[in-house]
Structures are given as C-alpha cells and as structure tokens.
Amino acid sequence: MRRAVPVLALTLIAGLGVTATGTAAADPAYAFRNPKLSVDRRVDDLLTRLTLDEKISLLHQYQPAIPRLGIKPFKTGTEALHGVAWLGEATVFPQAVGLASTWDPQLIERVGSAVGDETRGFQQERPPGWGLNLWAPVVNPLRDPRWGRNEEGYSEDPYLTSEMAIAYGTGLTGGDPDHLKTAPTLKHYLGNNNEVDRTTTSSDLRPRVLKEYEEQAFKPAIEADAATGVMSSYNLVNGRPATVNPALDDEVRTWSSYDLLNVTDAYAPNNLIATGSQKYYDTLAEGNAAALKAGIDSFTTDDANSAPTTTAIKSAVAAGQLKESDVDTAVGHILSIRVRLGEFDPGGGKYGSIDKSVVNSPAHQKLARKAAADAAVLLKNSGGALPLKTSAKNVAVVGPLADTLYTDWYSGTLPYGITPKEGIAAKLGTSVTSSEGVDRIALKNVSTGAYVTAGSDADGEPLKESGTSSGTAVQFDVFDWGAGIVTLRSAANGEYVGAKGSGFVNDQVQPGGWFVQQQFALEEQTDGTYLLRYAGYETREPWWSNPVYLGPTGDDGTLGLVTKEEAARYTKDVVRSGTEEAVAAVKGKDTAVVVVGSMPAINGRENDDREDMSLAPSQEALVKAVRKANPNTVVIVENSYPTTLGDLQKNVPALLWTTHAGQETGNALADVLFGDVNPAGRLTQTWYRSESDLPSILEYDNIKHDRTYQYFKGDPLYEFGHGLSYTSFRYGQLKRVDGGYEVAVTNTGRRSGDEVVQLYTHQRTSRDKQPLKQLEAFQRVSLKPGQTRTVKLKLSVDDLAHWDVTRSKWVVESGTYDVLVGASSEDVRARTALKVRGETIPARDLSRVTRAENFDDYAGVRLVDESKARGTAAGAADDGAWLKFADSQLGSRVPNFSARVAGAAGKVEIRLGSPTGELVGTAQFGGTRSPYTYETVTASLSNAAKGRQDVYLVLDNGLRLSTFSLR
C-alpha cells in the first residue's frame, strides 16, 4: 500500500539543507516533524533518513530509539481489553462479553474513550509495558461457548460483534483517524476459537463461512477506521499458518484507505520454523520473509530481545528472500501509525497533554458502574421476585462470589473493588449477613496422623504434614469451580495455595499467572480417603514430566510431587460445612441472594478450553439448599460464558447473569437488584441445554453443523438476544420506510426501562442453505411508563446478500424475505414480508475452471494450503471423501474431466446425483512427492454426463484437489 519515496521528497530534503541521514536530534525543519504536511509526506521523509539497519530494527515489537533523529523507543501491544492492563491501577470495566451485553454502542464508545484516555494518562511516566498501540478489541465471533477465551469476545453474531468493535475502537482512536488517541489492533485474525493445540490445529473456513461469518466480524471496524490493524492468530487457516496468511495484505488492507499496522501474536514467528510447532519453513529468515510478504509489519517474539528477528530479516535481505522495498513497505506502515499518534508533533500532538489525572477518575468510576449495571441480564423473574425492596433490610448474601471480586488474565489492576455483599450493604445502609458457602476442611495423612499445615505469615510458608487437628493452620477453604477442580485457601492467612519451586505455598491473593498453579483435585478413593492431585495448567503441557500427586517428600514432612503410588492418602475432615453455614445465614431473612459462578483463571482461559459448561456441582447444591431454606431466593450467576445450569433455572424464582464486571460489580448489582437500574442487558450468545447440542470445538463450519442461533435447530435454554425487564413493552405494526423499517414501541408497565429492539431477517427460498434468522439491526431505547417511541431500524437490500460460491461474489437473490422485529431472536413481536427483485443464481458452469473449495457440500474433506504462499485446495482425509457441486449445467454432453491434483496416489471419481450415484468417469493419479506439486489428470466421461445435474467428486485419501473442469 505504501508508495516508494518520491523524488519530490528528496528535493524537499535537499532544499532544507539537511542530509538524508541527518545529524540534528530533533530538527523542526525535518518534514516528518511538520504536522502541516500529509502523513504520507512525513513518512516518506522519515524513510529516506533511516538506514537499512535502522529500518529493520523497527520491525520488532520493541522498536529502539534513534537518537540522531530524536526518535524515542516505541512498543506495540498495550493490553486494553476492558481497561488498561498490566500498567498498574486503572479503571476496570466489565469483561468484553459483558460490555457487548449492553447492546449499546454509544455506551461502549464512551468506555473505549475512557480506556484510550487512561492509556494516554500513563504517557508522562511511561511505565514498563506502556505503548499507544493497543491489542484490543478481540473480535473473533463466539461460535462455541466452550472457547477458553469466550470472555474476551463480544458475540456469536458477527454483526453485533462488529458494532461493538466499531464503538470501542472509535472510543480508543478518538474518532479522528488522522490524529489517533491510541492505535487499536483487532485480535485474532483469523478463525481463532479453540485453545486446544492452538498452534497446530487448522480452522477450515469454506468461502461462505469465511465471507459471511469470519470476515464480517473484522471488516466493518477496519472500514470505519475504528482499528488500525490486526493481529494474526496462532492457528492455521485452511492448512496455512495465520502468521503467513496472504489475506493480511490481499484482503485486510483493501478495507481501509489508511495504512494499517499488522502484528504477529506472541512468539508466533518461532512456531513457523523447523524447531517450532508448525514446521512450515526451515529457517527463521525464511519464515520472517514469508510473514513480511504476507502482510505482517511487526514481529512479536522473544520478549524485548529483537536480535533474532532483526538478524533473520537481515539474512533474508542478503539472501534475496526479501528486497529492501519489502522492508520499506512494512516500516512505512509502522511509521504511518506513529505519525498519526502525534509522536513527531510538537507537544505530542492532539492528545499529548493528557496526564495521569484521568486514570480511575470519578467520571470513569461512574462510567464503570453504569456499564456493569447495563450489562446485567435478567434471565428469569417469576412472580415479581425482583426488584427487591430497600425497605426489606433483612437480606443475606451468600455464595463463593458473594464477597470477592476476581480479575482475569487481561484485566487491569483493581484500584478498589466493591463486592456484591458490599454493594448490597451500601444500598441498604446496613450490614448484611453473609457466607461464602464453601467447606472448611483439614487433611490428615491416614498413615501418620499428621495434618497438612500452612504458614500464618502474609507470604505463607511451604505446606507440611506436621499439624495437629486444632487451629487455623491446618484448615483450608475449598472452592469448587467444576470439572473436578478446586482451589484451597488457607485459613491461616487467607491466601491461596499454589505450586512454588518444588513445593506448595499459601501466598496468592487469587489464582492467577500463566499456568494458574493454584488448581487441585480431591480424588476420593474406594476406601473413603482422598488423594490430592496437582492440576496446574502446566501439567497439561507436552513437556510436563513430573508426577502430579502430593505427598511428603522430606524428613520434615514438606509436601511435594510424588507418583500416585507414593501419594499420601488423606481423610477430609469437614471443620465447617459451607452449605450448613449458608443455610443458617438465610433462614428467616426477607431475601437470600446467592452469588455463584466462575473463577476467570480456571476451567477456561487463554490456552485452556472449557471441558463442560455446567455450574460447579457444589455450587448448584448450595443454591438448592438455600432455596429450600428460604423460598425468596435470588441467584446471581457471575461468569464469562453461557452455562447449562441444569435444573437450577427451573427451581429458583429469579436469575440474574453478569460477567465479571470490574471494580463496581457490587454497586451495579445492587442498583439492578433494588430497581434503581431496570435491567436491559441481552444475551450475545445462545445458552444451550447441553454440550451435546454442539459439535466438536474444532469444527468451524457453522452452516453445515448448525452452529449459533443462525442455524441451531434445537431448543436453547436461553436464546440469543434474551433478557427480561422490570417493565413490559408493546410493539406496533412494522412499517417499511426509506432506509429500513420503523416500529412503535410503548412502555406498558409502571417503571422506566430500556428495551433492545432487534430486527432479524430470513430468506424463505434460496439456492443455498440460509440462516434461520440473522440479526440485521438493533437499537436500545429508553422509555418512561406509558411513553411510545418510533424506533427506526436500518435495512437495505444489500444487507440481504450472501456469498455465491458458483461465481465468487455477493448476491441478493430474488424472493421473499421475512423481516422480524422483537425483544429477542425468538420473542418476535412484529413481522412483515419483503419481496425483493434481485437475481437468480444460474446453474454452475463447470466448463470453466472451478476451484475445488467452492463446493456446496462435502464429507471427509479438509481444506488445505494449495501452496505455502497462497491458495486453498480440498484435501481428502478419508477414502470416499466427496465434494458436491450442485445444480451444474452439463449441456448436451460433457466428454472430458480435467483436474489439478497433488499428494498421495489415488483416483477421482465423477458421479452424478449422490456420492454413490452413477459413475461417469474416473481419473487416476500416480501421486507427487510434494503436496504442493500439482499435476493435471484427465478422464473421459460417459454419455450420461449431460443435462442439469448435481456433480460429485469422490476422492481417495491423501489426494489434494485444487481446480477442475468438465468440458
């Protein structure tokens, strides 16, 4: 996208009397420091002043200073997913999935602006890790709720995702792409929704899934100039590592008229090479050269050590694998962002004066509270259980999340935290009864009689088997997070136990860290004793070779890792029953509020997918016991993903969902519970009844496997877009107006409230499988009791287009489309039909060269890389794999079949009507040494190859098919 340096720029430099290399540190006469010049002029000027080595130094995440030009260091990648992270205390907003649950782009833009301001606020002191290039938002659509990073995304719907990304990104940038407050980067391009084997699994994105689903989450924010680039993902896409995906240049850069800065994910360049997990290239020089040519500009790898990257790129240039112009192109993209950030402007440009006074300002605290309240989703409210009355001060707040706030991996540091208990107490102006509802236990070695003992110091001590049965030193609170995983909090000092060195220490405020070493499992044995298993995330890594069971490893009884045969057998002495304590707390109270949910670092996080979606068994049992003791039970589910909930949702009168909502969680929940805020959050994902409703997490074809609300034919627990209110709304007739539709919405209740009006479409007939419903527009509106507002929802004919694989283009088919408006994807309140005069997709013309990836259906086929540089082929993963090319016009007779194939020896059968239909020809293939070496095979076809037919190509295992034709 960048131009070569024009002669005009060189003339200008000469006219200023400055050499191309320059000697003044920050000469204001340098064109790159002149804010009156265009960005391109300034970038071109700076490029001419840099040596090749200096330019190459800018390609690493940590870009060094260039003192002779007065250029400061620059770093890509400040984390800012829901607040500024890892730089110290800063405002912590709700997790991203919670922000999206507001369905309020205007609010999310305000949140983004606050985060952008706080990023700038750190600039005067520039703490380690600071930078104005932000790695946020995450726009991977949430197609599978088991994805470990579900909390980081917005929605399973690409349109809703893109609207949230535009809003958040616009806030981050400041809304002026020529003068950036910050430079947000969209994560993770592309097809990244599984953590299991994430660097080696390939996401198969057939053209319709790619165009209609995946790209639609990324493209709008780039088009709206609400993002300044993308981060490539770890996985492969159609067999090719995303780090060298040519679409980074071929597609992404076409979405904007501005230069984009594309970065790799951390250490991803090292995965590419022979010593890495992907083994796609032999050397780092070859891999880096391929990434640069594909559209990567900045290499995130080796932490702050840029030497491996710069050395490899210099080698690639010397070997002719890269030209200096390739380096100039990438550096030009980087410098364009730096210029637009105001780095070279007097005083740091438009946003250079923002200081740290904005960080966690009162205005941002207020905004955090509003965002957390507006994100809460009322799932169920039977018999008017909510809102609670502030006059009923006799309230108990119980549950494992009743009086604590947890942060996630990409969270900022909480400047303060209002827990649910504290928020409710503040609302009532009195103290409230509380209990975490977790068991306090002691573990006694049945062989020695010694108890596991922890230190009482603030930083804990190594656990030992040395205690007696008395005192808090031998007592631990057991938190059950589901999937068999528990955490142990020492009663001696209130800190969590985790692995440290060769032992275990009670020294953590909360579970955390990359490997989350505070995870255990209490495994009951047939004799009633327990083994204590260490379940830190690193035990799942292929390099882990240590045993995982705990037992004494020294003369002093210090606990360490031993084999299962050597593991200590413990009795689990319950010192205090959490359920009994919670039941006692709620008995006789006006209301029992139970707060259950997840610990964000456990059972799902980056590098760890969720094994199931249920609530922890002991938490569900706690709710049932509390409900039995007090019928006036309200349940808050605080987690980051859809939950299957079992029978719990049937048995309690009121259910409220919130994500982990940051520092104002407790105040926000109290606002909603007591009716100061009328809940209007809506689900951004389908809540399924069971994991059996979902295919493998590695299956990316939403269309074929009926994923998300668009295609799911089952009965969800709670549907996409669901959310209740304390008031009621009536919808009028749906009317077509210029630019879309309008509907009158009336608040028919006694409380002011917000309604999220949602518009969906459905195409009744089509050549291709279409969504059951597809979100096209929405608007969150505020209405007072009795108030009516006419809500306009935009819809154009172009919005009805889908990707036509027969001609590789967007198409709007002629036909009737249902237009549905309501309070959720299933709660439709008004509908109409729209007749569209579009076009009819013609029969396929297979006489033209047809790409194999443009099939209509398939079985036993994986999409693979046609070459290492570009292109997609269809690879047979089993014998009898097949591709369907529907509605093909073969004419009076097609005599010949021709195809480009590679890989293993085998055959291609041409059949009509079905994979086992009439055989009209067979092409034999002798195989090639390389899967990237293609040969042409042919076959003569029988006289039956004529007319309008569904054509099937049946492939032998290991064979790759790139293109074919019948003529």
Side-chain angles (χ1 to χ4, degrees):
M1 295 285 292
R2 287 222 50 78
R3 302 189 306 274
V5 179
V7 175
L8 176 61
L10 297 175
T11 304
L12 175 63
I13 293 167
L16 292 172
V18 187
T19 66
T21 56
T23 55
D27 192 333
Y30 286 176
F32 77 84
R33 294 194 178 276
N34 185 351
K36 294 181 181 180
L37 297 179
S38 70
V39 173
D40 279 352
R41 284 277 299 278
R42 298 173 73 182
V43 171
D44 289 340
D45 173 70
L46 184 48
L47 276 172
T48 64
R49 300 180 188 280
L50 298 171
T51 67
L52 176 59
D53 282 355
E54 288 171 338
K55 287 185 284 191
I56 290 174
S57 76
L58 302 181
L59 297 177
H60 188 263
Q61 178 187 18
Y62 287 82
Q63 302 173 29
I66 303 176
R68 67 183 185 83
L69 295 175
I71 295 175
K72 295 180 178 180
F74 183 87
K75 171 185 169 288
T76 63
T78 294
E79 300 294 352
L81 187 59
H82 53 108
V84 182
W86 307 356
L87 300 183
E89 292 183 355
T91 309
V92 178
F93 294 94
Q95 292 177 313
V97 71
L99 292 176
S101 299
T102 67
W103 290 60
D104 189 343
Q106 290 75 30
L107 175 62
I108 302 313
E109 183 174 339
R110 290 172 57 196
V111 172
S113 182
V115 176
D117 285 347
E118 295 200 11
T119 306
R120 281 282 183 173
F122 285 101
Q123 68 187 330
Q124 310 304 341
E125 61 185 49
R126 296 195 175 198
W130 174 85
L132 294 175
N133 171 241
L134 305 185
W135 287 351
V138 171
V139 298
N140 299 107
L142 304 177
R143 65 180 184 92
D144 194 310
R146 296 168 298 185
W147 184 34
R149 305 181 75 168
N150 195 86
E151 66 200 31
E152 298 181 35
Y154 290 130
S155 172
E156 69 184 37
D157 181 79
Y159 170 69
L160 180 57
T161 294
S162 69
E163 288 295 293
M164 294 298 119
I166 290 170
Y168 193 66
T170 299
L172 292 174
T173 65
D176 178 359
D178 290 318
H179 302 90
L180 297 168
K181 184 191 296 185
T182 64
T185 304
L186 302 181
K187 301 195 305 187
H188 312 81
Y189 189 83
L190 188 68
N192 181 192
N193 277 128
N194 64 274
E195 298 303 293
V196 57
D197 299 327
R198 61 180 181 167
T199 69
T200 54
T201 55
S202 180
S203 304
D204 284 10
L205 303 180
R206 60 192 279 201
R208 281 195 64 196
V209 174
L210 173 66
K211 294 295 183 182
E212 297 175 22
Y213 192 71
E214 292 286 342
E215 282 188 359
Q216 293 312 304
F218 286 85
K219 184 177 180 181
I222 299 289
E223 285 184 324
D225 297 318
T228 59
V230 301
M231 172 189 284
S232 60
S233 53
Y234 283 120
N235 54 284
L236 292 77
V237 176
N238 296 346
R240 181 180 297 105
T243 309
V244 291
N245 184 350
L248 291 163
D249 256 348
D250 297 349
E251 289 291 336
V252 176
R253 293 198 197 278
T254 68
W255 299 339
S256 176
S257 59
Y258 285 87
D259 278 339
L260 303 177
L261 165 55
N262 295 334
V263 305
T264 74
D265 210 334
Y267 278 79
N270 293 351
N271 293 335
L272 291 169
I273 62 177
T275 55
S277 58
Q278 294 169 338
K279 307 185 188 307
Y280 206 67
Y281 298 101
D282 291 332
T283 65
L284 189 60
E286 188 181 3
N288 283 2
L292 209 67
K293 288 181 177 180
I296 290 295
D297 304 307
S298 178
F299 292 80
T300 312
T301 187
D302 302 303
D303 299 322
N305 180 15
S306 63
T309 295
T310 56
T311 300
I313 292 175
K314 289 175 185 177
S315 297
V317 172
Q321 295 167 326
L322 286 174
K323 300 177 182 177
E324 185 170 355
S325 60
D326 295 321
V327 174
D328 286 350
T329 296
V331 174
H333 296 152
I334 295 167
L335 294 178
S336 175
I337 298 299
R338 294 179 66 170
V339 167
R340 290 155 62 195
L341 284 167
E343 178 181 345
F344 308 124
D345 292 358
K350 181 176 179 179
Y351 301 102
S353 63
I354 298 176
D355 61 28
K356 203 171 181 180
S357 64
V358 302
V359 178
N360 192 39
S361 66
H364 291 178
Q365 294 173 10
K366 184 178 179 181
L367 182 61
R369 182 169 179 167
K370 177 175 175 56
D374 287 1
V377 180
L378 184 59
L379 298 174
K380 180 183 179 182
N381 192 22
S382 298
L386 290 175
L388 304 177
K389 295 178 175 62
T390 53
S391 59
K393 296 183 181 293
N394 198 12
V395 175
V397 185
V398 301
L401 285 89
D403 198 26
T404 189
L405 294 182
Y406 291 118
T407 54
D408 60 59
W409 177 247
Y410 287 107
S411 173
T413 302
L414 292 170
Y416 62 88
I418 309 298
T419 69
K421 172 192 171 183
E422 292 169 338
I424 291 171
K427 181 70 66 177
L428 295 175
T430 184
S431 61
V432 297
T433 305
S434 184
S435 165
E436 291 178 310
V438 300
D439 289 345
R440 177 165 289 186
I441 67 169
L443 296 171
K444 182 176 70 173
N445 189 317
V446 296
S447 297
T448 65
Y451 283 82
V452 175
T453 309
S456 59
D457 296 342
D459 58 354
E461 296 291 343
L463 267 60
K464 298 179 180 179
E465 288 186 0
S466 61
T468 65
S469 61
S470 62
T472 58
V474 301
Q475 297 173 8
F476 300 88
D477 298 322
V478 182
F479 290 81
D480 176 15
W481 301 114
I485 299 299
V486 301
T487 53
L488 302 173
R489 188 181 63 195
S490 170
N493 66 353
E495 304 295 300
Y496 286 87
V497 176
K500 192 171 186 177
S502 59
F504 295 88
V505 180
N506 56 317
D507 64 347
Q508 294 298 308
V509 175
Q510 73 160 56
W514 179 251
F515 287 117
V516 192
Q517 296 174 313
Q518 296 77 39
Q519 300 182 88
F520 299 90
L522 281 166
E523 297 182 348
E524 187 172 9
Q525 305 301 296
T526 55
D527 61 359
T529 62
Y530 289 84
L531 301 184
L532 185 57
R533 176 169 62 86
Y534 174 56
Y537 280 155
E538 75 270 39
T539 64
R540 304 183 187 185
E541 297 293 327
W543 46 262
W544 180 265
S545 59
N546 295 328
V548 294
Y549 287 90
L550 273 67
T553 56
D555 293 339
D556 63 352
T558 299
L559 288 184
L561 293 175
V562 297
T563 65
K564 187 173 184 178
E565 291 73 24
E566 298 170 313
R569 289 178 175 258
Y570 297 105
T571 59
K572 185 177 73 172
D573 300 342
V574 178
V575 179
R576 183 192 66 209
S577 166
T579 299
E580 290 178 3
E581 183 184 72
V583 165
V586 304
K587 278 185 176 179
K589 299 299 188 292
D590 294 329
T591 303
V593 178
V594 190
V595 191
V596 294
S598 70
M599 196 284 134
I602 293 174
N603 294 337
R605 203 207 70 180
E606 183 172 356
N607 210 35
D608 182 59
D609 289 318
R610 206 157 283 108
E611 295 180 4
D612 63 60
M613 298 186 295
S614 61
L615 198 64
S618 68
Q619 293 188 29
E620 188 165 347
L622 173 68
V623 172
K624 290 179 180 178
V626 169
R627 164 66 169 158
K628 185 177 180 181
N630 189 326
N632 300 320
T633 295
V634 172
V635 176
I636 298 171
V637 178
E638 183 181 341
N639 62 18
S640 316
Y641 44 85
T643 308
T644 50
L645 291 182
D647 291 332
L648 183 150
Q649 55 87 28
K650 299 177 183 177
N651 298 328
V652 297
L655 270 171
L656 184 72
W657 176 80
T658 177
T659 189
H660 294 280
Q663 63 200 51
E664 286 286 341
T665 296
N667 284 333
L669 288 174
D671 288 343
V672 172
L673 290 173
F674 290 94
D676 295 318
V677 171
N678 192 340
R682 301 292 184 263
L683 297 180
T684 67
Q685 294 177 267
T686 302
W687 282 43
Y688 299 96
R689 294 184 181 275
S690 168
E691 290 84 2
S692 63
D693 289 331
L694 293 164
S696 164
I697 195 172
L698 299 177
E699 179 49 69
Y700 277 75
D701 191 343
N702 293 356
I703 300 173
K704 185 176 180 67
H705 294 280
D706 297 330
R707 274 193 184 275
T708 80
Y709 81 96
Q710 291 186 0
Y711 295 96
F712 180 60
K713 298 173 183 175
D715 178 28
L717 181 66
Y718 294 111
E719 74 274 14
F720 175 83
H722 171 75
L724 304 177
S725 171
Y726 295 154
T727 190
S728 55
F729 300 94
R730 183 179 67 239
Y731 285 63
Q733 290 185 336
L734 193 57
K735 299 178 182 178
R736 189 175 183 186
V737 295
D738 186 37
Y741 287 84
E742 66 180 25
V743 62
V745 180
T746 303
N747 183 341
T748 56
R750 297 179 181 178
R751 289 177 175 269
S752 295
D754 290 4
E755 172 73 324
V756 179
V757 183
Q758 304 165 40
L759 184 149
Y760 299 84
T761 62
H762 168 67
Q763 186 174 344
R764 291 185 184 178
T765 59
S766 173
R767 177 198 183 276
D768 301 309
K769 183 178 179 179
Q770 293 295 332
L772 303 172
K773 293 187 183 78
Q774 184 164 338
L775 182 69
E776 303 285 4
F778 64 90
Q779 190 175 151
R780 181 165 173 156
V781 295
S782 298
L783 294 169
K784 296 177 182 179
Q787 183 182 5
T788 299
R789 282 187 60 184
T790 298
V791 180
K792 185 170 181 180
L793 300 158
K794 293 182 179 180
L795 182 70
S796 71
V797 171
D798 288 344
D799 294 331
L800 304 174
H802 76 278
W803 188 255
D804 173 20
V805 293
T806 72
R807 296 171 294 173
S808 296
K809 58 176 282 190
W810 290 100
V811 60
V812 177
E813 290 181 284
S814 295
T816 300
Y817 295 75
D818 294 315
V819 181
L820 315 166
V821 170
S824 78
S825 58
E826 292 192 359
D827 186 3
V828 175
R829 307 288 186 87
R831 66 175 66 219
T832 188
L834 173 64
K835 292 186 177 180
V836 173
R837 178 178 291 180
E839 60 179 300
T840 300
I841 298 175
R844 277 186 183 270
D845 181 3
L846 295 183
S847 66
R848 289 188 256 177
V849 174
T850 298
R851 297 205 60 83
E853 65 180 309
N854 286 325
F855 50 75
D856 290 292
D857 198 3
Y858 63 100
V861 168
R862 296 299 309 268
L863 293 176
V864 295
D865 47 341
E866 183 176 8
S867 73
K868 288 190 174 183
R870 64 187 60 248
T872 297
D878 296 295
D879 284 333
W882 55 263
L883 302 169
K884 177 184 178 181
F885 298 88
D887 191 26
S888 299
Q889 181 56 263
L890 305 183
S892 59
R893 182 174 179 270
V894 175
N896 298 306
F897 168 82
S898 176
R900 295 283 292 170
V901 293
K907 64 182 181 300
V908 181
E909 295 179 344
I910 304 92
R911 293 181 178 270
L912 303 179
S914 78
T916 57
E918 184 173 3
L919 179 65
V920 295
T922 302
Q924 297 289 343
F925 173 53
T928 54
R929 287 187 176 182
S930 167
Y932 306 119
T933 301
Y934 285 81
E935 295 181 356
T936 300
V937 296
T938 61
S940 297
L941 303 181
S942 72
N943 292 336
K946 61 183 178 180
R948 202 157 175 170
Q949 303 270 8
D950 290 343
V951 174
Y952 287 77
L953 303 182
V954 183
L955 315 176
D956 283 349
N957 188 18
L959 189 147
R960 292 182 169 210
L961 174 63
S962 169
T963 61
F964 72 97
S965 61
L966 280 74
R967 55 188 173 190

